[in-house]
Amino acid sequence: MNTVSDVPERWTQASVYPDMWADPDEDPRSTDGASPDGELATLQDFLSGYRLTLQMKCEGLDPEKLARRSVPPSTMSLLGLVRHLAEVERDWRNWILPGDPAPKLYGARDADFEGAVAEQALVEGAFADLAREQAATDALLAEYPDLGARVVRGGTAVRELWVHRVEEYARHCGHADLLRERIDGRVGQ
C-alpha cells in the first residue's frame, strides 16, 4: 500500500496555464498559423502533435522511470507505450503490403509491454524502432494521397488507417499523461 511519501507532488512547468505541460510560447506543438488545409493535412497535423506529445511525456526520464509500471496488474509503462506504438506502426503497414506480414518486433501478445525493462540500450532501441517504423509507415501512406483509396487487406480505406493512427496515439497519450503524473507528479496536456 502506498504511503503519502510514495506519492509525488503534482507540478507543471507552465506558468501561463497551470494545467498545461508547457507555456504556449515554449510548446513545440503550438503553431501561430492557421490550421492545415484539407483532410489529409489535418490528419497529418494531429498525428504529428500526438507523436510529439508522447516524446514530451518521456523526456527527462531515466530507463527506470520509463519502464515503471502503472499499477498492478497492468504492464503498462511509458517505455511499453513506445514499444507498442512501434509495433502498431508495423502492423498498419501489414494492412497495405501484399504478401506475408512483417514479423513482430518484440514477440507475441504483450511482449512490447512485458519486455519494457529498465536498460539504457533497450530504451534507445525502442525509440529508434519507433522512429524507423513511423517513417516507414509515413512513406508507404504517402503513396496513397487519395484517402478513399482501398488498400490490399480487407479493402480498408486509407482514410481509416489515418484516423486509426490518430486515435491510437491520442488514446495512448492519455495513458502517458497518467503514467508521467504517477512517476514524478508532472501534469499537463
Side-chain angles (χ1 to χ4, degrees):
M1 182 160 177
N2 288 340
T3 63
V4 173
S5 63
D6 292 336
V7 178
E9 187 173 328
R10 299 180 87 225
W11 66 281
T12 180
Q13 189 171 313
S15 60
V16 175
Y17 302 108
D19 63 336
M20 295 184 74
W21 186 259
D23 286 327
D25 290 344
E26 297 173 10
D27 191 334
R29 299 165 300 179
S30 295
T31 60
D32 293 329
S35 60
D37 287 330
E39 185 180 3
L40 178 57
T42 300
L43 291 167
Q44 291 168 328
D45 186 58
F46 271 87
L47 181 61
S48 175
Y50 285 124
R51 285 175 171 176
L52 189 50
T53 297
L54 180 66
Q55 288 177 346
M56 292 167 69
K57 296 294 176 170
C58 294
E59 284 175 353
L61 299 177
D62 62 27
E64 185 277 323
K65 289 178 179 171
L66 287 168
R68 189 176 295 168
R69 306 279 171 88
S70 60
V71 292
S74 177
T75 59
M76 191 174 292
S77 67
L78 287 169
L79 180 57
L81 288 176
V82 169
R83 290 165 48 101
H84 172 71
L85 288 166
E87 194 76 74
V88 168
E89 289 282 356
R90 178 173 281 206
D91 287 343
W92 283 318
R93 286 196 317 280
N94 286 334
W95 281 76
I96 300 171
L97 295 171
D100 293 334
K104 295 280 189 184
L105 288 170
Y106 307 112
R109 285 210 36 101
D110 287 336
D112 40 1
F113 288 102
E114 290 287 348
V117 297
E119 297 173 5
Q120 186 63 40
L122 191 132
V123 169
E124 292 169 7
F127 280 97
D129 289 345
L130 180 59
R132 182 191 65 244
E133 297 300 320
Q134 288 172 337
T137 305
D138 289 347
L140 181 59
L141 284 173
E143 296 176 22
Y144 298 91
D146 176 3
L147 296 177
R150 301 288 174 172
V151 291
V152 175
R153 302 210 191 264
T156 304
V158 172
R159 174 181 293 102
E160 184 178 339
L161 293 174
W162 273 104
V163 170
H164 187 64
R165 288 172 87 198
V166 170
E167 178 273 333
E168 185 87 10
Y169 279 88
R171 184 166 48 95
H172 289 312
C173 281
H175 295 135
D177 286 343
L178 296 173
L179 287 162
R180 181 64 188 250
E181 185 174 353
R182 180 65 182 117
I183 290 166
D184 68 357
R186 188 164 179 191
V187 297
Q189 87 295 353

